Amino acid sequence: MRPYLLKGHERPLTQVKYNREGDLLVSCAKNLNPCLWWAENGMRLGTYEGHNGAVWSCDISVDSSRLYTASADQTVRMWQLNTGKQLHCFQQQEPCRAVSLSVGEGMLAFTTDAFMGTQPMIHIVKLEQDVEDQSSKDILSIECPKGRVTRVFWTELNRCMITSHDGGWLRKWDSETGKLLLEKQVHTDAIQDMQMSHDGSHAITASLDKTAKLIEPTTFEVLKTYNTGRLVQSAALSPIYDHVVLGGGQDASSVTTTSAKAGGFEARFFHKIFTEEFGNVRGHFGPINSVAFNPDGRSFTTGGEDGYVRMHPLDMDYHTTKYF
């Protein structure tokens, strides 16, 4: 397994995300410009210039025509994916964290952090077909309890939204009224990442309590727990096998005091059902901040604290070996 090493960022990565077809990859980092890459060979197609702060997350439209990015510069921006042209800027008063498109892409949900006495918020805006008619005004704003909102997803055909929070909480909201429908503490420390399965039937969370958990999204029942012994920054589900890949490692502030081997900076593969680890992939010199499976299941990508994006095509052995 020879990875492609993609160097487009000087600062730590925050998220890597594929489009629906899996032929394009977007990487976001703490530097200002998200990058677009060919997923087949790792060639950089371009950057999106305009943000003035760390870009925390992104979402891509189903037809790969638009990109949405949320940044610490208090904006969520809409881009034309293939040209890098900025189409619209949703200006806020607080740093923006997570962003998610609704089913059908008629609405956009994004979250803002607590700032200067304000509470963390979830904002929903209506998306227009014509960019000229686009408004930045919220159709719904939901005030959240104290603590960062790290991820937001639409569920149940846009009737509800799921959010992950500091403190290990998951919360479910009514997307029409903003009412809190359900909350449950599934981790003992902050949830750093949450990703849905491709059919939306379950989700995986990654937490600083050194575990990742498979969650049923309607009741927040914990289906499986993956214990790593290391901080888990990100987790992804294979779209074709019962496999889970986890990324993380020891805290970035203590990286210089240990070797890469002792830091636990490898991407670790677990069986989704049996929760057993059956392999790992080394390479990064610091913690892995984001992992993503290609929608075809034949490669996966990691983004690290070291500023590198590593794209790993999976060997034939991976597809033919019976691990359990």
Side-chain angles (χ1 to χ4, degrees):
M1 188 190 299
R2 294 179 64 88
Y4 294 107
L5 229 69
L6 315 183
K7 183 63 174 167
H9 304 279
E10 284 75 44
R11 302 280 319 279
L13 271 291
T14 54
Q15 191 180 29
V16 289
K17 192 175 186 78
Y18 285 95
N19 66 339
R20 189 179 70 155
E21 282 76 23
D23 59 339
L24 297 172
L25 176 80
V26 174
S27 60
C28 303
K30 289 183 181 176
N31 70 341
L32 313 181
N33 303 329
C35 292
L36 181 69
W37 315 82
W38 271 126
E40 188 177 350
N41 56 13
M43 184 175 81
R44 181 157 70 167
L45 297 173
T47 57
Y48 299 90
E49 297 181 355
H51 279 298
N52 297 312
V55 181
W56 290 115
S57 65
C58 66
D59 204 0
I60 304 168
S61 62
V62 171
D63 62 359
S64 301
S65 63
R66 291 181 181 179
L67 170 71
Y68 300 84
T69 54
S71 170
D73 67 1
Q74 306 181 345
T75 64
V76 171
R77 297 182 192 234
M78 180 200 299
W79 312 85
Q80 199 165 3
L81 188 83
N82 59 344
T83 64
K85 179 187 175 186
Q86 182 178 308
L87 301 176
H88 192 77
C89 177
F90 301 93
Q91 182 68 51
Q92 302 299 310
Q93 303 302 315
E94 305 86 16
C96 303
R97 175 77 50 176
V99 61
S100 178
L101 282 163
S102 66
V103 178
E105 299 176 0
M107 292 176 286
L108 180 75
F110 57 90
T111 69
T112 53
D113 293 347
F115 185 68
M116 299 286 285
T118 61
Q119 288 289 93
M121 300 279 288
I122 304 168
H123 303 268
I124 301 175
V125 293
K126 188 172 184 290
L127 295 177
E128 304 291 348
Q129 292 291 331
D130 189 350
V131 183
E132 300 295 324
D133 302 331
Q134 184 62 54
S135 165
S136 297
K137 191 178 178 188
D138 297 351
I139 56 173
L140 181 67
S141 298
I142 307 170
E143 194 171 291
C144 299
K146 194 177 174 185
R148 279 182 318 169
V149 186
T150 50
R151 288 286 183 266
V152 58
F153 286 103
W154 298 80
T155 60
E156 300 176 32
L157 297 175
N158 297 341
R159 284 193 291 270
C160 303
M161 290 182 299
I162 296 175
T163 52
S164 60
H165 300 254
D166 279 357
W169 290 90
L170 290 177
R171 294 187 171 95
K172 186 195 226 175
W173 310 86
D174 187 305
S175 60
E176 283 191 24
T177 64
K179 182 184 174 188
L180 179 61
L181 302 174
L182 177 67
E183 63 177 347
K184 186 176 180 182
Q185 189 175 19
V186 296
H187 289 280
T188 56
D189 208 338
I191 298 174
Q192 296 292 89
D193 189 21
M194 176 170 65
Q195 295 189 24
M196 302 290 285
S197 62
H198 65 285
D199 61 358
S201 62
H202 52 287
I204 190 163
T205 57
S207 170
L208 297 181
D209 66 2
K210 303 182 179 178
T211 66
K213 296 190 178 183
L214 203 66
I215 306 290
E216 202 283 313
T218 53
T219 62
F220 296 156
E221 179 191 353
V222 177
L223 305 174
K224 298 289 177 184
T225 301
Y226 311 95
N227 291 299
T228 65
R230 290 271 183 270
L231 305 180
V232 188
Q233 299 283 356
S234 186
L237 297 158
S238 170
I240 56 173
Y241 300 122
D242 286 331
H243 295 169
V244 172
V245 63
L246 308 181
Q250 72 180 114
D251 190 50
S253 59
S254 33
V255 166
T256 53
T257 60
T258 53
S259 69
K261 195 172 181 181
F265 304 140
E266 59 270 3
R268 302 170 68 175
F269 281 81
F270 284 76
H271 195 279
K272 189 200 290 186
I273 311 303
F274 303 125
T275 69
E276 296 283 337
E277 185 177 0
F278 63 86
N280 61 61
V281 180
R282 291 204 182 102
H284 284 285
F285 300 106
I288 295 173
N289 291 340
S290 182
V291 295
F293 258 107
N294 191 308
D296 66 6
R298 303 196 172 275
S299 65
F300 74 100
T301 297
T302 56
E305 190 78 18
D306 54 11
Y308 281 99
V309 178
R310 296 177 74 92
M311 203 180 281
H312 304 264
L314 293 160
D315 297 337
M316 190 51 69
D317 291 351
Y318 169 81
H319 299 286
T320 55
T321 305
K322 282 191 165 54
Y323 295 100
F324 293 93

